[in-house]
Amino acid sequence: MTPTTVLILPGWQGSGPGHWQMRWAAQQGYTVVEQDDWLRPRRGDWLARLDEVVINTPLGIDGANIVLVAHSLGCIQVAAWAAVSHHTARVRGALLVAPGDVEQADLREQIPGWAPIVRQRLPFAATLVGSSNDPFCSHDRARGLALDWGAHWVSLVAAGHINADSGLGDWPEGHALLEELMGHTPA
């Protein structure tokens, strides 16, 4: 049986070494989907890069052996990619954490070309984790995205943007959500 491949999708400006995504990649050997330009993310380039990595990942017996782990703009990337890619059947699930609301005026200006957010139901299982005080996406907005995308909703209290600044360290609770999507029972 082909093992699950976990693809890490950082958001705008990437994820630094203290971010739980990079900690998981270092500890678990997960693959970080690198982008050519983290500071000026071009939607088409980011979607093409994700498609390339998905296509080049060996298929599992059932075909779906990839789990995506997206943070911030990475969540918006997953929704946009799923709406246009012919390779979504390779994905078993997605852990979507702290989506960045690129429809907010300030983010729309800083990250042009990403609005409107694709609201189509995802063709694979998903869990969306939001925070009650995320400065880049309101709690209600994140919950609405979970509903639109058909994702299981998980709400954190006062976890900010659920990044390195949130003090989560290795974030074992998040990894347990990932393991559920991978089809494993959390330890």
Side-chain angles (χ1 to χ4, degrees):
M1 182 175 185
T2 307
T4 302
T5 298
V6 175
L7 300 180
I8 301 285
L9 306 171
W12 179 39
Q13 301 178 5
S15 295
H19 194 291
W20 55 267
Q21 281 187 313
M22 296 301 107
R23 294 167 76 117
W24 291 3
Q27 294 166 2
Q28 306 291 334
Y30 300 153
T31 300
V32 178
V33 176
E34 294 291 343
Q35 297 294 340
D36 288 332
D37 194 340
W38 291 108
L39 299 179
R40 290 173 298 284
R42 295 170 51 117
R43 181 175 163 148
D45 292 348
W46 279 38
L47 300 187
R49 178 68 180 133
L50 177 54
D51 219 38
E52 176 186 18
V53 173
V54 167
I55 290 166
N56 289 325
T57 299
L59 284 173
I61 292 171
D62 64 356
N65 65 312
I66 297 171
V67 176
L68 307 172
V69 177
H71 181 260
S72 195
L73 185 61
C75 300
I76 307 309
Q77 175 190 14
V78 168
W81 173 81
V84 298
S85 177
H86 298 290
H87 306 288
T88 59
R90 293 173 173 247
V91 175
R92 178 182 300 159
L95 178 61
L96 309 168
V97 181
D101 185 357
V102 294
E103 293 177 355
Q104 286 182 23
D106 58 336
L107 286 182
R108 184 188 295 252
E109 287 178 24
Q110 294 179 60
I111 314 172
W114 286 88
I117 296 171
V118 173
R119 304 280 185 145
Q120 182 173 312
R121 186 175 185 85
L122 295 172
F124 40 75
T127 297
L128 192 152
V129 182
S131 170
S132 63
N133 65 339
D134 187 339
F136 300 107
C137 188
S138 75
H139 195 252
D140 288 342
R141 183 80 151 160
R143 187 174 54 222
L145 289 173
L147 183 64
D148 291 342
W149 293 338
H152 172 69
W153 167 246
V154 176
S155 176
L156 301 183
V157 176
H161 195 45
I162 315 176
N163 57 11
D165 293 338
S166 300
L168 298 170
D170 293 341
W171 193 32
E173 299 83 2
H175 202 267
L177 294 171
L178 171 60
E179 288 186 344
E180 287 177 24
L181 285 165
M182 292 169 65
H184 303 299
T185 304

